[in-house]
Each structure stands twice: as structure tokens, then as C-alpha cells.
Amino acid sequence: MPSLKPIACAGLLALTLAACSTAPAAPALDPVPPPAPRPDAKTQLEYGNPPPLRSGRY
């Protein structure tokens, strides 16, 4: 009869490999930033109209 130690080690190794193989993929980075929020009416009254938006390039 085989000893219990090699069977336990093989089972632990199999569980470790199975746990590592099911890791979720990293989320993809969005290259386009979200649009800037428009100022509300109170902000426009306090600070005036905002400057025009710049293009995406510097």
C-alpha cells in the first residue's frame, strides 16, 4: 500500500496549480479618457464661462 505522504503532496500540488491557472485576466486600459464634466449653472455664475476646451494634443 502506498504511503499517504506522496499522495497528499501530489494532491496539494494539483490544487495549487489549479488555483493559479484560474486567475482572472487584468482589465484592459482605456486609451480614451472620459470627457470633462461640464460646469453647472452655479459655477458659471460664480466664475464666468469656462475657457474653450483644448484639443487632445499638447
Side-chain angles (χ1 to χ4, degrees):
M1 185 170 129
S3 77
L4 187 60
K5 189 174 181 180
I7 295 173
C9 288
L12 184 61
L13 179 63
L15 286 175
T16 304
L17 290 175
C20 292
S21 66
T22 59
L29 295 176
D30 189 11
V32 180
R38 296 191 59 172
D40 58 355
K42 182 180 176 186
T43 305
Q44 286 183 352
L45 285 173
E46 290 175 351
Y47 298 106
N49 287 334
L53 297 175
R54 297 186 305 175
S55 65
R57 299 209 171 228
Y58 294 114

